[in-house]
Amino acid sequence: MSTFIVIGGPTASGKTQLAIEIAQRMGTEIISADSRQFYTEMRIGNARPSEAELAAVKHHFVADRSIEKPLTAGRFAEEAAQKCIALFKKYEHLVCVGGSGLYINALCEGLDEFPEVSEAAKEEVLGIWTSAGLPALQQALAQLDPTYFSRVDLQNPRRLMRALEVCLSSGQPYSSFLGKKAARPWKNVYFRTNLDRALLYKSIDFRVDDMIEQGLEAEAHSLLKYRHLPVMNTVGYQEWWPYFDGEYDKERAIELIKRNSRRYAKRQMTWFGKGDKYEVVG
């Protein structure tokens, strides 16, 4: 069976270089699973691989679309899976690299399939939320799907609303659609990069300083008109909007980018550190 070598880990921990070294050793290509490196307009702030790195090994799903056509985890899984199937006809191994755990999981393991949600269901759930708030969402889900209610984060209104929309649209519990993923026709082998936290944070600060020197401020300013897009709610970009609005100075913007990058890295370490699926390297 073909093997998919998956490399995850926090930002600025050396994933890109490790993936390139492995791909060169295996004589194969790389699938990027970084949810912000898909977009042509975002280069500096998302630490896109350099031109030299992209030339060293062929990468897929790097700067291949516009931020005006965002790629969801589900759609990425569909496109990338088809690409993998085609490439596995040529290669015994492929390399996947990225820090977006949800996108990696979607590609490697598939996503649960849910029925289409009706506009009527969306409006009904939105009405519950706006008129009665979180307790009403919790109560409705407890009635319609006690199984999912028992394990969902009850303080997360978006998850509650999504589950209720599916319940109301389909007439079936949201939980009845979980765990029905299609098997992938390859074997996944997982690795995660590992740096001492102090070294990782130092690496993050160094990377941010380098981004500033490369022109991150100008890049962010060129994307100002797109700041309403969900894809722009991204560390490295979102911190510039208040600065451009005159709410704080440039030094504060840079400080926030470093702080939020460290926080993001911490969340990534938690994600990739769960269970024993990922073997530590580095």
Side-chain angles (χ1 to χ4, degrees), residues 152-172:
V152 70
D153 178 1
L154 295 175
Q155 302 305 312
N156 188 325
R158 292 182 64 182
R159 291 190 180 181
L160 299 178
M161 293 173 74
R162 169 62 176 161
L164 286 172
E165 289 170 354
V166 171
C167 290
L168 293 173
S169 291
S170 66
Q172 301 178 57

Side-chain angles (χ1 to χ4, degrees), residues 42-202:
M42 303 166 73
R43 180 182 68 85
I44 301 172
N46 63 11
R48 182 192 301 173
S50 68
E51 293 303 317
E53 289 171 330
L54 292 173
V57 174
K58 185 172 180 58
H59 288 64
H60 300 271
F61 297 93
V62 173
D64 66 344
R65 69 200 68 220
S66 169
I67 56 175
E68 296 184 84
K69 297 180 179 179
L71 191 61
T72 65
R75 184 60 187 161
F76 167 71
E78 293 176 8
E79 291 188 22
Q82 290 304 311
K83 176 63 69 174
C84 288
I85 290 170
L87 289 173
F88 274 130
K89 294 178 180 179
K90 181 179 180 181
Y91 302 107
E92 183 178 351
H93 301 84
L94 289 176
V95 177
C96 175
V97 62
S100 305
L102 176 62
Y103 282 69
I104 291 176
N105 279 5
L107 170 57
C108 296
E109 301 171 19
L111 291 174
D112 296 311
E113 296 185 4
F114 295 94
E116 185 175 349
V117 172
S118 67
E119 288 301 319
K122 291 181 180 179
E123 292 177 5
E124 182 176 348
V125 173
L126 181 60
I128 295 172
W129 166 241
T130 55
S131 64
L134 189 63
L137 293 176
Q138 295 169 344
Q139 182 178 2
L141 185 61
Q143 294 175 345
L144 293 174
D145 190 350
T147 298
Y148 190 63
F149 175 84
S150 68
R151 68 194 202 203
V152 70
D153 178 1
L154 295 175
Q155 302 305 312
N156 188 325
R158 292 182 64 182
R159 291 190 180 181
L160 299 178
M161 293 173 74
R162 169 62 176 161
L164 286 172
E165 289 170 354
V166 171
C167 290
L168 293 173
S169 291
S170 66
Q172 301 178 57
Y174 178 84
S175 57
S176 68
F177 297 99
L178 298 175
K180 298 181 178 179
K181 303 174 183 179
R184 296 304 194 196
W186 61 72
K187 176 185 177 182
N188 298 308
V189 180
Y190 297 92
F191 300 95
R192 63 181 173 93
T193 50
N194 182 55
L195 278 181
D196 173 80
R197 183 165 299 189
L199 290 177
L200 177 63
Y201 287 175
K202 185 176 181 180

Side-chain angles (χ1 to χ4, degrees), residues 1 5 17 32 35 42 48 75 77 97 101 103 132-133 140 153 159 179 228 244 262 264:
M1 178 178 284
I5 302 169
Q17 187 57 42
S32 173
S35 65
M42 303 166 73
R48 182 192 301 173
R75 184 60 187 161
V97 62
Y103 282 69
D153 178 1
R159 291 190 180 181
H228 64 285
F244 294 145
R262 291 191 294 268
Y264 178 53

